[in-house]
Amino acid sequence: MDSGNAVPVSIPSTSYPATTKQAVGHIDGVLTDVTSTAFSDRILVTITQAGRLAQWIHVPLEASNPTATDQYLPSATSEDSLLPMSHLTPKTLLGASNSDRETTGQLYAAQIASIIATKNPEEKRTVLIGLGLNKAEASREDYYDVVDLVRKCL
């Protein structure tokens, strides 16, 4: 091949269609990395400690009964806003070696999906959550710290 005839190629400077955001913080002294990537059909959120992903959960944002969506609008009380929306049904796809880890993972998944649905009530994409937390159970403080870190990415 003759490199003397090479023609420079112009690559357009358009952004990639998937928007990615990242936040890093210490949760209970452990470096925790949160990344969110918004694809056209799904929203991917990963929460990792020590660079691992051990559990995958998906949460459809679309209500199973399309005529019942009005009853799932966010509540006006501040106490209710801390609870995940009741119509969300997280499902573990991979991982969750025990029931404690599965329960904790599904709680995080429902809370993350609720945050997304509250920010944009018209959002219908499925949320896919990848978890790699060191502990199967989290203290209340650690739970809120993780959720706050996720909010920074959404």
Side-chain angles (χ1 to χ4, degrees), residues 25-32 49 134-135 137-139 141-143 145-146:
H26 285 85
I27 308 293
D28 196 25
V30 179
L31 186 66
T32 305
Q49 292 179 328
N134 289 347
K135 297 178 184 176
E137 294 183 22
S139 69
E141 182 179 333
D142 292 347
Y143 175 79
D145 288 346
V146 169

Side-chain angles (χ1 to χ4, degrees), residues 27 34 47 108 133 141-150:
I27 308 293
V34 176
I47 305 168
Y108 277 117
L133 301 173
E141 182 179 333
D142 292 347
Y143 175 79
Y144 287 125
D145 288 346
V146 169
V147 170
D148 284 342
L149 200 56
V150 169

